[in-house]
Amino acid sequence: MSTLPAGTVTFLFTDIEGSTRLLHELGPARYAEALAEHRRIVREAAAVHGGVEVDTQGDAFFIAFPTPGGAAAAAQAARDGLAGGTIRVRMGLHTGAPTLTGEGYVGEDVHRGARIAALAHGDQILVSPATAALLEAEPLRDLGRHRLKDFDGAIPIYQLGEREFPPLRTPGSVELPAPATPFLGREHELFDAISLVYERDPRVLTIVGPGGTGKTRFSIELARLLGDDADGGTVFVPLAPLRDAEFVLPAVADRLGASTPDPAAIAARIGERRTHVVCDNLEHLLPDAARPLAELVAAVPAMRLFATSREALRIQGEAELDLPPLVRDEAVTLFCERAQAVRPDVTRTDAVVQLCDRLDGLPLALELAAARTKLLAPEALLDRLSDRLDALKGTRDAEERHMTLRATIAWSYDLLDAGEQMLFASLGVFRGGCTLETAELVCDADLDTLASLLDKSLLRRRTGRLGEERYWMLETIREFALERLRESGREDELRRRHAERMLEIALSAHSGDEESVEADPGRALAEREDLRAALDWAEEHDASLGLELAVELQTLWNTAGPKEGFERIERLLDRAGDIPPKLRARALRGLGGTADLAGRDEVAEQLTQESLELYRQLGDDRGVAIAEQMLAVSAWRRQDWNRMRELTEHSLALSEGRFGFIETTNYWLLGQLALNDGDLDRAVELTRRGTEMSRAVGWAWWESGQRHELLMLSLRRGDLDEAEREGLVALEMERAQENRLWALYTLAGLAQVALCRGDLERAGLLWGAAEKEAESLPRWPDERARRIGDLAEEEREPVLAARERGRALDLWDAVELALGDSR
């Protein structure tokens, strides 16, 4: 920063008129552009005339000049420069001899200049008597004597220039707390709140959210931004210390200076000047506080009430704003900013991002964690988060209910009645949330109690991947709920009911390939976290039930997690002990299938052979047919064509006309045999038959794989249009199923199509992304040449450069790119 002028200096203060309303009218993007242009113009005008920028905050400038003439010229130049835009700036000039320190200027001259600027309208430049006396050559207009906020007596105020303006502004006082740390993030939510106020002008705006989401800080910032609209003033009424609703109106009356807490007295005090009242922390005074506040709002038309609470007031004229946790980038910024106050070397790292995610983006949790970085690095904090409810502690001046996360959540929990407390604890059993039907079946939930928990911000609602309504808890709140569930002695019962419900869902999704009906893998994906929770519990408490569930999830393991499926089935099988032969056969077959997809070929063949022998003993033709089909796939990998043909033909003989899913898979195997025999057209015909059959019965997992095979066969035929068409359909399906393995195969195939078309950039990008994903696959070295074709010999620089960029892409980002480019 340039050296600040010392001695007698002239201050220029600027502020945008109606900045909050302008933000609403223009929208965040256009407002940001206008704000940046405004800053450029003001800074240029100041620099030309010798000004030095002392400070800038938001949309305001504080600039010092060695001469009053330079300050006046800069103000006029800035005003003229802004004339063609949407922004209008009010300005104030004052000359004095403030004390200059290492931190800048101090003294009443600084405050006097700011107060003078606050009286101006947009485009108006106001001048103090001290400055006016030194501007003899400038046209000045005497506006009479006016009082300045926080100063005794009235002083003459002058206007630079002869233009007509309305009488000077007399803005209401803004009496809000001054937090010790800056407000960060929440731009989107602030814009939504401001838009709501300007578009609907609700008499009451209640900012709701769970404890620790930063409702108080948000309300202070919102009230500050709307301060210009409250010509009667803005006051802040802290209600957390109150223990009875009868004290709410007295607290409001006291802050407003009313003679009594009677609504009529408050109305008389406010009059017709719009006044903003922020009532902070209302939840513990509800429902009793709702009626007196409703009567107050009805009696005082000029008053606008901004309330923060963990539940809404539910009164007429109320609008609600649900304040969510911070999004990831804002959470990381807040954590780093606060942590750097005690540990300057904290920056954004993977550990910091994980820490913020684990803390649900709750501002209170982030600030408590940041304070602990003085002792523990973020990596060490991450390791200790299992005890987050007590491990993260606030500063000594924090309110008692904000000293720990436990205290914050307990504040809300203690306000619940017995039925609400019981349901709250029961819902902790759900790791990924639940539908209303599942909450009713597992927890005996009733609508009224569920709605109450939602209203009190202990439960949240979102739309699931299938469009269903799901109810869920922030992880920090769920941890507290689980503690209450364990204390109640009902955990084992709820865990079993939960696991049994997950088995019902898996059966209804037809994910185990036992039924010849349309599978619904999306339903299993929607419940994936709770399926995992049920399997985790079953491993320790009922391995047989867990094994039933695990084998019913065969399609889920095939598409989205073969390694996880193998490990889970293996552990459950080891712990299940004596189980029915059919369940053991299915488990062995499932274990073999997941082992195959995970690249463990020898293990897969051995396990599938064991399941085949069990199926034969049971006389189960369906089981025999599917196990033989799987062994045929193993023979295909080994290129044992005779064994493959023998197994395929016998499996097809057993399944044809009886077991549609198995019959469908055998047509692909027959197609591969035809390809090996040199009959490409026959291979395409058989593969397409299997594709159409799988589509007809709704077996999307197999259909996507067959479309990938048609992509590869069309490449062999040189039909690039057909290859790309089939590949893109396959890729869309694989994305919906979260099937990373087959998606990378399809990306590699589409990369070959792009190479044949001469699209070297696309070919390289898709190749790089696929190859990066494939590096962890055990059989990739053996498959690479078949999967990427001519790309293996590619040496052209544009392709290789694009490949390196593709390697930096996440697989699903590359999939989005491939699909997006085709639209």
Side-chain angles (χ1 to χ4, degrees):
M1 186 174 76
S2 302
T3 302
L4 294 174
T8 300
V9 297
T10 299
F11 294 143
L12 168 61
F13 286 88
T14 78
D15 187 26
I16 295 176
E17 180 182 50
S19 57
T20 304
R21 188 175 293 276
L22 191 60
L23 167 64
H24 165 69
E25 292 172 355
L26 296 180
R30 288 180 57 207
Y31 180 74
E33 293 174 2
L35 183 62
E37 178 64 6
H38 145 263
R39 287 171 176 162
R40 183 191 66 77
I41 290 170
V42 173
R43 283 175 173 144
E44 284 186 2
V48 167
H49 296 283
V52 179
E53 188 176 319
V54 181
D55 191 18
T56 179
Q57 292 185 4
D59 48 24
F61 278 100
F62 173 18
I63 304 170
F65 293 81
T67 66
Q76 293 177 95
R79 180 185 60 192
D80 294 344
L82 292 166
T86 56
I87 285 179
R88 295 291 175 267
V89 172
R90 48 179 173 249
M91 306 185 206
L93 300 175
H94 174 63
T95 303
T99 301
L100 180 59
T101 70
E103 300 296 320
Y105 296 106
V106 296
E108 73 170 31
D109 286 315
V110 176
H111 301 285
R112 189 181 295 273
R115 297 294 185 261
I116 290 171
L119 299 176
H121 296 282
D123 289 342
Q124 189 174 31
I125 304 170
L126 298 183
V127 180
S128 73
T131 305
L134 302 172
L135 291 176
E136 296 179 356
E138 297 290 345
L140 294 175
R141 184 173 185 174
D142 187 345
L143 300 180
R145 301 177 69 85
H146 297 269
R147 290 183 178 275
L148 303 180
K149 181 186 173 185
D150 300 328
F151 285 87
D152 293 331
I155 64 169
I157 297 292
Y158 300 88
Q159 175 188 302
L160 186 60
E162 296 297 331
R163 181 176 163 183
E164 292 287 341
F165 287 94
L168 291 188
R169 299 171 68 248
T170 52
S173 61
V174 178
E175 299 174 14
L176 295 170
T181 53
F183 183 85
L184 298 172
R186 297 289 197 197
E187 286 86 357
H188 178 75
E189 290 88 351
L190 281 170
F191 179 72
D192 286 347
I194 289 166
S195 297
L196 192 156
V197 169
Y198 283 148
E199 292 172 8
R200 294 170 51 189
D201 193 22
R203 302 290 295 277
V204 181
L205 174 61
T206 305
I207 299 157
V208 297
T213 46
K215 299 183 293 295
T216 297
R217 288 298 301 272
F218 183 86
S219 70
I220 292 171
E221 185 66 11
L222 177 62
R224 185 189 69 79
L225 290 172
L226 294 171
D228 279 356
D229 297 296
D231 55 355
T234 302
V235 299
F236 183 87
V237 187
L239 300 177
L242 305 186
R243 289 294 173 265
D244 197 302
E246 68 176 299
F247 299 119
V248 172
L249 291 194
V252 172
D254 180 66
R255 295 309 303 268
L256 289 170
S259 57
T260 74
D262 184 76
I266 295 175
R269 177 70 179 86
I270 288 176
E272 296 181 358
R273 300 181 70 185
R274 183 180 176 113
T275 301
H276 292 171
V277 177
V278 181
C279 285
D280 185 46
N281 287 298
L282 258 170
E283 62 272 354
H284 63 297
L285 301 171
L286 295 174
D288 295 345
R291 182 172 295 278
L293 284 172
E295 292 171 353
L296 175 64
V297 169
V300 191
M303 189 183 78
R304 295 297 179 269
L305 178 64
F306 297 88
T308 71
S309 177
R310 300 184 192 187
E311 65 174 309
L313 279 67
R314 297 190 212 166
I315 61 177
Q316 292 185 8
E318 179 185 31
E320 294 179 41
L321 181 76
D322 187 3
L323 192 65
L326 294 171
V327 297
R328 174 180 285 175
D329 285 347
E330 290 182 344
V332 170
T333 299
L334 176 64
F335 175 83
C336 291
E337 173 80 16
R338 300 297 191 256
Q340 285 164 5
V342 295
R343 193 183 187 115
D345 62 344
V346 172
T347 57
R348 182 183 181 123
T349 62
D350 288 344
V352 166
V353 173
Q354 290 181 52
L355 185 66
C356 295
D357 287 347
R358 291 277 301 279
L359 293 173
D360 294 320
L362 285 173
L364 174 63
L366 296 168
E367 299 213 15
L368 294 178
R372 299 295 279 178
T373 58
K374 186 173 184 178
L375 179 64
L376 297 170
E379 292 76 9
L381 267 177
L382 192 58
D383 292 337
R384 292 170 177 256
L385 274 193
S386 58
D387 190 27
R388 79 191 90 184
L389 291 178
D390 295 307
L392 304 179
K393 297 182 179 180
T395 55
R396 291 175 179 170
D397 60 343
E399 292 185 50
E400 184 176 346
R401 64 196 171 87
H402 286 166
M403 286 298 292
T404 64
L405 286 178
R406 180 183 303 285
T408 297
I409 301 168
W411 169 275
S412 294
Y413 178 78
D414 290 342
L415 298 174
L416 303 178
D417 64 31
E420 292 168 338
Q421 289 182 347
M422 179 175 286
L423 181 57
F424 169 73
S426 299
L427 290 169
V429 78
F430 294 104
R431 186 182 291 178
C434 63
T435 62
L436 173 61
E437 178 187 10
T438 295
E440 290 172 333
L441 290 171
V442 176
C443 305
D444 298 321
D446 66 85
L447 278 174
D448 289 342
T449 308
L450 198 70
S452 181
L453 293 178
L454 197 66
D455 288 342
K456 292 175 168 63
S457 303
L458 287 169
L459 198 63
R460 301 187 74 77
R461 181 173 52 200
R462 66 168 177 246
T463 302
R465 61 181 294 136
L466 304 178
E468 79 283 16
E469 290 274 291
R470 296 186 71 83
Y471 301 90
W472 61 287
M473 291 178 177
L474 295 171
E475 195 58 29
T476 45
I477 293 176
R478 178 173 173 263
E479 184 178 328
F480 186 90
L482 281 173
E483 287 185 356
R484 305 287 78 73
L485 181 60
R486 293 185 190 110
E487 291 172 358
S488 73
R490 299 181 298 115
E491 184 178 14
D492 285 345
E493 175 198 352
L494 265 293
R495 292 286 189 186
R496 179 169 295 280
R497 292 175 71 172
H498 174 265
E500 290 170 349
R501 174 58 178 164
M502 290 303 110
L503 179 58
E504 289 177 10
I505 288 173
L507 287 165
S508 68
H510 309 296
S511 296
D513 71 33
E514 285 293 309
E515 300 292 336
S516 297
V517 295
E518 183 173 347
D520 184 13
R523 188 166 189 201
L525 284 169
E527 302 287 354
R528 179 161 48 188
E529 288 309 310
D530 277 279
L531 291 166
R532 285 171 169 155
L535 289 168
D536 289 343
W537 174 83
E539 276 189 33
E540 301 297 330
H541 298 86
D542 192 338
S544 180
L545 174 60
L547 198 58
E548 286 186 66
L549 176 57
V551 298
E552 287 299 338
L553 297 175
Q554 188 69 51
T555 301
L556 178 65
W557 304 135
N558 289 348
T559 57
K563 182 175 183 292
E564 179 186 357
F566 177 84
E567 292 172 351
R568 286 192 179 276
I569 296 172
E570 184 178 48
R571 289 196 302 269
L572 288 162
L573 195 55
D574 287 343
R575 298 182 183 196
D578 188 20
I579 57 174
K582 184 169 183 179
L583 178 57
R584 181 171 293 280
R586 289 189 68 197
L588 288 169
R589 195 193 76 224
L591 203 55
T594 52
D596 176 78
L597 288 167
R600 304 179 64 173
D601 297 345
E602 292 183 9
V603 173
E605 193 163 358
Q606 177 187 339
L607 291 166
T608 306
Q609 185 66 46
E610 288 182 41
S611 75
L612 174 60
E613 292 168 3
L614 265 177
Y615 280 127
R616 283 173 175 163
Q617 292 172 21
L618 291 165
D620 186 335
D621 284 354
R622 189 182 192 285
V624 170
I626 196 168
E628 287 184 335
Q629 180 268 330
M630 292 169 65
L631 288 169
V633 173
S634 296
W636 169 74
R637 294 195 196 285
R638 298 194 313 272
Q639 298 186 9
D640 185 346
W641 306 112
N642 291 332
R643 176 67 172 156
M644 176 183 171
R645 190 181 303 276
E646 175 190 348
L647 289 163
T648 301
E649 289 177 350
H650 189 258
S651 176
L652 183 60
L654 286 174
S655 61
E656 194 167 17
R658 299 173 66 195
F659 313 122
F661 288 171
I662 306 168
E663 180 183 356
T664 298
T665 61
N666 281 313
Y667 286 121
W668 169 69
L669 289 167
L670 291 174
Q672 292 298 299
L673 287 167
L675 185 63
N676 183 63
D677 293 339
D679 191 343
L680 180 57
D681 289 342
R682 179 64 174 161
V684 171
E685 177 191 341
L686 289 165
T687 304
R688 191 167 295 284
R689 184 188 303 179
T691 305
E692 292 167 355
M693 287 183 66
S694 60
R695 180 175 179 79
V697 298
W699 199 8
W701 171 64
W702 190 254
E703 181 190 349
S704 67
Q706 292 312 283
R707 291 193 180 279
H708 164 79
E709 293 297 334
L710 289 172
L711 152 66
M712 302 306 290
L713 291 170
S714 297
L715 266 174
R716 286 176 178 265
R717 300 172 76 179
D719 189 342
L720 299 183
D721 289 343
E722 179 70 8
E724 184 167 52
R725 185 160 48 248
E726 293 290 356
L728 291 172
V729 173
L731 197 59
E732 188 74 70
M733 297 176 76
E734 288 151 2
R735 178 173 65 172
Q737 300 161 18
E738 299 184 21
N739 190 339
R740 297 183 73 93
L741 177 65
W742 286 5
L744 83 87
Y745 289 159
T746 301
L747 276 180
L750 289 170
Q752 292 186 62
V753 173
L755 186 70
C756 293
R757 290 189 188 280
D759 189 343
L760 305 188
E761 172 77 7
R762 179 178 171 85
L765 284 171
L766 301 187
W767 173 25
E771 187 117 58
K772 177 66 175 177
E773 178 73 16
E775 286 175 352
S776 61
L777 300 180
R779 64 166 68 101
W780 181 249
D782 298 328
E783 290 191 335
R784 184 174 185 272
R786 179 165 63 88
R787 295 292 181 186
I788 67 173
D790 291 343
L791 284 164
E793 308 299 326
E794 185 59 55
E795 295 182 351
R796 283 176 287 183
E797 193 279 332
V799 181
L800 298 181
R803 181 187 67 177
E804 291 309 304
R805 293 195 297 277
R807 288 177 63 84
L809 293 173
D810 174 76
L811 177 73
W812 298 123
D813 289 338
V815 167
E816 182 65 28
L817 183 150
L819 294 171
D821 284 354
S822 70
R823 291 169 184 161

